[in-house]
Amino acid sequence: MNRSIIRGLGFYVPENIVTNDDLSKIIETNDEWITERTGIKERRWVGDADDSTTSMGVKAALNAISDAEIDKNDIDFIVFATLSPDYYFPGPGVSVQKELELDTIGALDVRNQCSGFVYAISVADQYIKTGMYKNILVIGSEYQSGGLDKTTRGRGVSVIFGDGAGAAIVSASNNENETGGILSTHLHSQGMHAEELALLRPSTSHWVPQILKENDPNDISYYPYMNGNFVFKHAVTRFPQVIGEALQQNGYESTDISLLIPHQANLRIAQFIQRTMKLTDDQVFNNIQKYGNTTAASIPIAMAEAKQHGRINKGDLICLAAFGSGFTWASALIKWT
Ligand code: UT7
């Protein structure tokens, strides 16, 4: 069986910085509440820029391609994770194929929200291990700001989410003497909680013509809904479980982790995981302070930034973990090559 390695990483975030103080000018909130409850100080929102989920994904992809030192035409498959596709259908995978002018390679879209990137890495890993593909472009990209309820009514959700994209090149290792790469991935779901964190409409039970016909100014079902406390409680249980599962499968202890890169949902969640798993500050990477929660993009942005900052090096044991809407949760353990 082939070994999959992460050969390159890249990210892109819009230039437009929105601070907590900026938000307090449009909704009843303040820097103290947002900082204390989430750790977020600022986030990037597309704003007036000419960016889309696809275009940000493409910019992150170009950075990953350059980091991997491959030719873009060496990519033989695309996996794109997002909850904010540019179109209801088709998904943005095909738009990346077009924008990068790649030959008619396959493009797959993953709909697993905050866990989307880890699910996407798992998909890529299987294709590489079986020998079906050699270089897979995996993207997590989100343009969420346009769809948020930016009034006081929506403040429990809108202050948290940000825009941006991250990408990885997952490749077959061509070094026979080397061990490592993606060791294992672990995927879970619990659909009974699907509506606790969801964007319910438009849907098959409520298509756009019906929404337009009803023209109800109090209808907020086309804004994301999150039962924050409920999600939080499940997150702090599932994260340690799924990280523990990855460690156990590979015969490691939490002290062996070089760097845990958790989905950047809330700094308090990351700190809770750190305490529960008795990890040191050096073992956990967080950048939610600067970017907010960028859903499927948060892990690849964090991974790319961690690598840029010298926090990921050859031989390191890197753990990715995510939890979110679905509910879905997932982890990946990587021995960096
Ligand atoms: O990435 C996908 C997974 N997502 C997560 O894992 C998120 C999990 N949940 C959370 O991170 C937290 O639940 C939130 C950050 C969303 C909310 O924090 P919380 O500590 O659970 O606050 P809360 O929702 O219980 O609200 C507490 C109070 C309420 O006021 P009252 O009822 O106590 O008077 C809210 O109305 O804070 C109020 N509030 C705000 N105040 C100022 C809610 N949002 C805001 C705000 N600014 N932005």
Side-chain angles (χ1 to χ4, degrees):
M1 194 143 50
N2 292 327
R3 277 185 311 105
S4 341
I5 59 166
I6 297 193
R7 188 161 169 171
L9 289 167
F11 77 103
Y12 168 83
V13 287
E15 274 177 25
N16 181 36
I17 297 173
V18 179
T19 64
N20 294 343
D21 287 337
D22 292 334
L23 289 182
S24 70
K25 289 177 195 139
I26 53 170
I27 53 186
E28 281 173 38
T29 190
N30 54 74
D31 176 50
E32 196 188 351
W33 190 96
I34 302 173
T35 307
E36 243 172 50
R37 306 281 178 135
T38 71
I40 299 166
K41 297 300 285 182
E42 58 190 44
R43 73 284 295 139
R44 304 296 178 101
W45 281 359
V46 166
D48 295 333
D50 186 20
D51 258 325
S52 66
T53 295
T54 298
S55 73
M56 290 190 288
V58 166
K59 288 171 190 169
L62 289 170
N63 290 334
I65 291 165
S66 145
D67 187 48
E69 296 177 347
I70 60 168
D71 187 289
K72 70 179 168 75
N73 295 308
D74 293 334
I75 294 168
D76 43 16
F77 195 62
I78 298 164
V79 189
F80 200 123
T82 187
L83 65 62
S84 49
D86 294 318
Y87 310 127
Y88 198 88
F89 72 85
V94 295
S95 308
V96 171
Q97 179 275 330
K98 173 188 158 232
E99 292 300 324
L100 289 180
E101 296 175 347
L102 298 174
D103 197 10
T104 56
I105 60 169
L108 178 76
D109 294 283
V110 168
R111 295 294 311 270
N112 287 76
Q113 300 68 246
C114 308
S115 313
F117 187 78
V118 185
Y119 266 76
I121 285 283
S122 177
V123 170
D125 181 36
Q126 311 313 311
Y127 281 135
I128 298 282
K129 283 193 169 131
T130 58
M132 185 155 171
Y133 297 119
K134 292 219 160 5
N135 295 296
I136 302 182
L137 170 60
V138 183
I139 298 174
S141 177
E142 303 285 5
Y143 180 174
Q144 309 185 97
S145 59
L148 298 172
D149 179 0
K150 299 190 200 80
T151 67
T152 299
R153 182 180 62 186
R155 66 183 179 177
V157 173
S158 55
V159 302
I160 296 169
F161 291 96
D163 304 331
I169 304 292
V170 181
S171 299
S173 166
N174 45 22
N175 186 343
E176 301 255 314
N177 304 319
E178 210 170 50
T179 55
I182 300 175
L183 304 181
S184 65
T185 55
H186 306 268
L187 312 178
H188 294 279
S189 72
Q190 194 176 25
M192 67 189 284
H193 300 311
E195 293 189 4
E196 303 295 346
L197 174 46
L199 179 60
L200 296 176
R201 291 173 181 172
S203 68
T204 50
S205 64
H206 228 90
W207 285 103
V208 171
Q210 200 174 339
I211 295 174
L212 293 175
K213 197 168 130 202
E214 286 169 9
N215 192 22
D216 176 1
N218 297 315
D219 181 9
I220 51 166
S221 61
Y222 42 83
Y223 289 122
Y225 167 76
M226 176 163 70
N227 182 349
N229 290 297
F230 188 82
V231 176
F232 194 101
K233 282 185 197 131
H234 282 256
V236 294
T237 309
R238 296 307 189 184
F239 268 106
Q241 271 177 7
V242 80
I243 295 165
E245 187 182 342
L247 292 173
Q248 197 186 4
Q249 170 148 341
N250 295 284
Y252 287 113
E253 307 276 337
S254 58
T255 46
D256 295 318
I257 295 178
S258 311
L259 197 63
L260 169 69
I261 302 178
H263 162 53
Q264 301 292 291
N266 182 324
L267 190 61
R268 278 161 57 215
I269 295 178
Q271 288 167 339
F272 191 94
I273 306 166
Q274 183 176 336
R275 279 198 304 277
T276 308
M277 306 209 67
K278 299 190 172 54
L279 300 170
T280 63
D281 288 350
D282 285 348
Q283 285 178 286
V284 186
F285 187 82
N286 289 302
N287 61 4
I288 191 170
Q289 301 88 334
K290 291 189 294 181
Y291 304 125
N293 179 340
T294 56
T295 306
S298 94
I299 287 184
I301 292 174
M303 238 201 310
E305 198 168 76
K307 191 164 170 236
Q308 269 182 6
H309 293 181
R311 301 272 306 267
I312 298 181
N313 295 294
K314 195 172 158 62
D316 282 354
L317 189 66
I318 307 298
C319 185
L320 313 180
F323 175 89
S325 163
F327 290 159
T328 61
W329 61 103
S331 64
L333 203 61
I334 305 160
K335 187 88 177 159
W336 209 261
T337 50

